[in-house]
Amino acid sequence: MAISKAVIASVLLSLLFLHLVQADEMVDGYGSEVSSVGKINCGAACAARCRLASRHKMCIRACGTCCARCNCVPPGTSGNQKDCPCYYYMTTHGGRRKCP
């Protein structure tokens, strides 16, 4: 009887642990949910975002970094950053917004 209670308790604890690990993987470092199903094409999204930038290569590089972390690129060539909260709140070490 005591062994069966121990087995049930260990199974429940392991299921709880697996659930917590899975939930942690679904949330990135900025608190927004990341879907593993819907990965976007960062190259194409950043090319569209940066097509009018005066510093095209720098824009593509920064956008690519942000897209890889957030799996999101705001629509249009500028602004609309609040459509992607992770993208909006990512900053440089100097406190400036990282993502174009």
Side-chain angles (χ1 to χ4, degrees):
M1 183 74 170
I3 293 175
S4 64
K5 286 183 181 180
V7 169
I8 292 172
S10 65
V11 167
L12 287 175
L13 285 174
S14 62
L15 288 174
L16 177 65
F17 177 74
L18 288 174
H19 178 70
L20 290 174
V21 168
Q22 189 177 25
D24 187 49
E25 289 176 357
M26 292 296 288
V27 176
D28 67 1
Y30 296 94
S32 61
E33 292 184 15
V34 175
S35 171
S36 60
V37 176
K39 280 291 208 185
I40 66 169
N41 181 349
C42 289
C46 289
R49 179 82 175 165
C50 296
R51 72 179 182 266
L52 299 178
S54 60
R55 299 175 72 184
H56 186 72
K57 286 185 181 182
M58 187 173 80
C59 181
I60 292 287
R61 187 180 69 221
C63 179
T65 300
C66 297
C67 179
R69 290 182 188 169
C70 299
N71 193 38
C72 180
V73 175
T77 56
S78 66
N80 303 318
Q81 289 183 333
K82 291 194 177 182
D83 291 347
C84 301
C86 168
Y87 197 93
Y88 180 73
Y89 290 112
M90 196 177 303
T91 57
T92 63
H93 292 291
R96 297 175 69 187
R97 289 213 171 88
K98 179 179 186 70
C99 306

